[in-house]
Amino acid sequence: MDISSVRVKERVAEEFYDKFTRSYQRNDLREASKNLWECLRYLVFALGLCRDKELAEKEIMDFLNEFESEITKDDIATIKAIHINSMRGTMDAEIFEIYKRKVEVLRNKFKNIIRDYLSSRSELDSEGAMTEISENHLV
């Protein structure tokens, strides 16, 4: 896993989240949906890199099914709804609010899963480094 590539995807996701916030404040819900979709998409790409997978957009939903203990069918339905709304812009404000709250929860789930992968990786890296130091010290 290339940690720096994961971090780049996370930063891009946050940039799209910032754009979402601005478009949401302007009440441009279609643009807000586009930015939410991009935010989620980049978080999923980061998650893919955590599992050493370079995902294409068409692979996102299948990939998310691998996380059935953490990501629910409702989460996947939320992602699909936001993606569709980003293209069509048909959600009214009340429905958008419901999905916005769901995306906030999902965004945090993705960030937590990524953080867990990165922290477990850094633990493995530090253990490997410690083993290498110990082996070199014995010689």
Side-chain angles (χ1 to χ4, degrees):
M1 168 183 29
D2 180 7
I3 293 175
S4 63
S5 294
V6 172
R7 294 286 187 214
V8 167
K9 300 282 189 215
E10 285 183 305
R11 278 194 301 276
V12 172
E14 287 308 304
E15 288 172 17
F16 278 110
Y17 188 79
D18 292 342
K19 289 179 182 181
F20 152 73
T21 302
R22 290 190 299 275
S23 55
Y24 178 73
Q25 289 169 344
R26 290 189 318 268
N27 203 32
D28 184 348
L29 299 185
R30 185 172 185 182
E31 188 65 23
S33 289
K34 285 180 183 181
N35 290 311
L36 273 182
W37 162 246
E38 291 297 328
C39 172
L40 293 174
R41 191 168 77 97
Y42 274 91
L43 287 173
V44 173
F45 288 162
L47 189 53
L49 291 175
C50 288
R51 287 198 169 178
D52 295 321
K53 293 181 182 182
E54 189 82 33
L55 297 173
E57 187 170 323
K58 64 182 181 180
E59 299 172 304
I60 288 175
M61 296 308 166
D62 288 337
F63 176 70
L64 290 176
N65 286 325
E66 295 178 19
F67 292 88
E68 60 188 35
S69 63
E70 295 121 324
I71 299 170
T72 67
K73 300 269 186 232
D74 187 52
D75 292 336
I76 292 173
T78 296
I79 294 169
K80 287 178 181 178
I82 289 297
H83 185 217
I84 290 168
N85 199 57
S86 74
M87 295 181 292
R88 297 185 184 152
T90 55
M91 271 186 207
D92 67 25
E94 287 180 42
I95 299 296
F96 186 82
E97 281 301 316
I98 293 167
Y99 280 100
K100 176 185 165 288
R101 286 191 295 273
K102 288 181 176 189
V103 167
E104 293 292 336
V105 171
L106 187 56
R107 178 175 161 258
N108 287 328
K109 273 188 195 183
F110 286 155
K111 289 169 69 171
N112 288 335
I113 293 169
I114 292 165
R115 187 188 67 234
D116 290 347
Y117 269 101
L118 293 178
S119 67
S120 70
R121 177 61 187 226
S122 64
E123 287 171 13
L124 288 174
D125 287 348
S126 66
E127 286 176 13
M130 291 301 289
T131 302
E132 187 177 310
I133 290 169
S134 297
E135 288 172 357
N136 288 337
H137 214 2
L138 294 174
V139 175

